[in-house]
Amino acid sequence: MSCPGFREVGAHHGLHRTRDSSAALSWAALAVCFLTGQASLWMVRVLALLAGTARAAFMPAERGIVADLVSPQRRQAANALLNQSNAAGLLIGLATSGIVIAAVGPGWAAALEAGASLIAALLLSCLRTPIWRAETSGTLKELRAGWREFTAYRWVWLLTAQFTVVLMAVVAFNAVIGPLYSEHGHGGSRAWGIITAVEAAGAFLGAVIAARWRPARPVLACTLLPATAAVPMVLMGLGTPWPVLAAVMLLPGVCQTIYAVLWWTTIQHTFPPHVLARVSSWTVLGGFALTPAAVLAAGPLAGAFGAQQAAAGAAVLIAAATIATLAVICLRGTAGPEAQRAPGRGEVGVREAVPAESSGVRL
């Protein structure tokens, strides 16, 4: 494949190996800290930051790998399989993590995670997919090129902003508000563990549905699906018993996975391979940058107003972001003719199939 201004310079396998090797080293260092009893708080924070950074650095390339390895007609199924594997891993982790820690302790549990990351690095090193580099190289220039592509499509940056707000609310709910609610007379940590497991089961089911469902208007679907995360928040704000919350958590689990599959498939069909990873970097940047602040803010807010009021506030944030996004889409027309197609129906790529000057696409 030839792309103007870009050249193929190698393969992605080195990037995969670097990411998982970094994660393996971070977890191995955590294991040493726990096993030797030298796990000071600042050291654990630094190592956790390094492990998280490794994951964040790999995520934009992860969906680019799918576009490189899978034909357009099969990308949605491939994305669904990837999400299904993640959900299955989460379910297994939730079911076994407590048992493993109780049986061998946190040090050996961290060592097992390091070993799993190392195995992943070895497996991913076998992949060979193209790396595209601009003829005028430079990190800042490549970031600017990705930013130009990211902002050129209204629906891309609009839905990214919406989901960043949704993600902040969801992370605060899952990490702080929900556990606090459970600890105050609503089943305790056991109940919250069950609620989390139900959501993970919903994610697994959602991947099965997403592999087969191809909506005629994927952008509209991607706008509405994240709003389902507000349903358990509203119920928590009303003081709903935890068994009901557990049952309801199946809905956002299903819908969030369908959203992720549709979103990444549409992105893969819209952008050519040489800018896909750079655009993906901008789509996830807001979430990674702001969710830590959301977690830090959730604690004091839940302490000051109570878990129920904090949950209701998170639901309001999601509703406001969704309504604002829908209003812009309705007032300014559709998100572009390429966004109205269900991806994977034979087109080589949406970007190539639709003129760039089509109304409602470029700003």
Side-chain angles (χ1 to χ4, degrees):
M1 182 183 295
S2 175
C3 295
F6 285 78
R7 56 191 174 90
E8 187 178 339
V9 296
H12 274 305
H13 62 280
L15 173 63
H16 308 332
R17 185 168 55 244
T18 299
R19 174 258 167 181
D20 280 290
S21 298
S22 300
L25 289 173
S26 300
W27 281 104
L30 280 170
V32 171
C33 289
F34 292 139
L35 290 172
T36 60
Q38 302 298 318
S40 61
L41 183 57
W42 71 266
M43 190 177 297
V44 171
R45 286 173 175 172
V46 170
L47 292 173
L49 177 65
L50 292 176
T53 301
R55 173 59 182 163
F58 176 70
M59 185 177 290
E62 183 178 32
R63 302 298 172 159
I65 296 169
V66 174
D68 287 331
L69 297 178
V70 182
S71 65
Q73 294 83 1
R74 297 182 178 180
R75 284 176 188 165
Q76 184 163 332
N79 286 318
L81 181 61
L82 184 60
N83 280 78
Q84 194 173 43
S85 301
N86 292 337
L90 180 58
L91 278 172
I92 294 171
L94 288 170
T96 61
S97 57
I99 298 173
V100 171
I101 293 174
V104 301
W108 287 111
L112 288 173
E113 176 66 26
S117 297
L118 184 60
I119 292 172
L122 294 175
L123 292 174
L124 287 171
S125 66
C126 299
L127 293 177
R128 294 186 61 84
T129 55
I131 289 178
W132 296 95
R133 183 166 297 167
E135 297 291 351
T136 56
S137 60
T139 302
L140 291 178
K141 290 182 180 179
E142 292 183 5
L143 285 174
R144 284 197 295 268
W147 175 256
R148 285 194 298 270
E149 295 290 336
F150 171 74
T151 56
Y153 289 81
R154 185 190 309 126
W155 64 271
V156 176
W157 60 258
L158 189 63
L159 267 66
T160 297
Q162 177 208 5
F163 190 72
T164 298
V165 175
V166 173
L167 185 60
M168 291 171 61
V170 168
V171 169
F173 178 77
N174 288 338
V176 179
I177 300 170
L180 185 63
Y181 178 82
S182 296
E183 287 298 327
H184 286 75
H186 295 278
S189 57
R190 175 179 172 274
W192 189 249
I194 294 173
I195 291 171
T196 304
V198 170
E199 185 179 19
F204 187 87
L205 177 61
V208 175
I209 297 172
R212 295 164 175 79
W213 183 45
R214 286 173 169 78
R217 301 186 63 183
V219 168
L220 182 60
C222 287
T223 304
L224 295 174
L225 285 168
T228 58
V231 176
M233 299 176 186
V234 171
L235 294 178
M236 185 176 288
L238 297 174
T240 303
W242 75 263
V244 178
L245 280 177
V248 171
M249 283 296 283
L250 191 70
L251 175 64
V254 169
C255 292
Q256 299 307 315
T257 303
I258 296 174
Y259 162 83
V261 171
L262 292 178
W263 168 258
W264 286 114
T265 304
T266 307
I267 289 289
Q268 289 161 354
H269 281 272
T270 300
F271 294 96
H274 62 278
V275 296
L276 184 57
R278 296 171 179 85
V279 172
S280 299
S281 298
W282 287 109
T283 63
V284 302
L285 179 62
F288 277 111
L290 296 178
T291 49
V295 173
L296 289 173
L301 289 173
F305 299 102
Q308 290 183 223
Q309 287 75 13
V316 169
L317 279 177
I318 292 176
T322 303
I323 292 171
T325 303
L326 285 173
V328 173
I329 290 175
C330 292
L331 290 174
R332 305 208 41 193
T334 63
E338 77 279 24
Q340 300 309 313
R341 301 185 185 185
R345 291 185 176 173
E347 70 270 27
V348 174
V350 174
R351 173 89 170 218
E352 291 78 11
V354 178
E357 63 272 11
S358 298
S359 61
V361 180
R362 289 194 178 273
L363 298 180

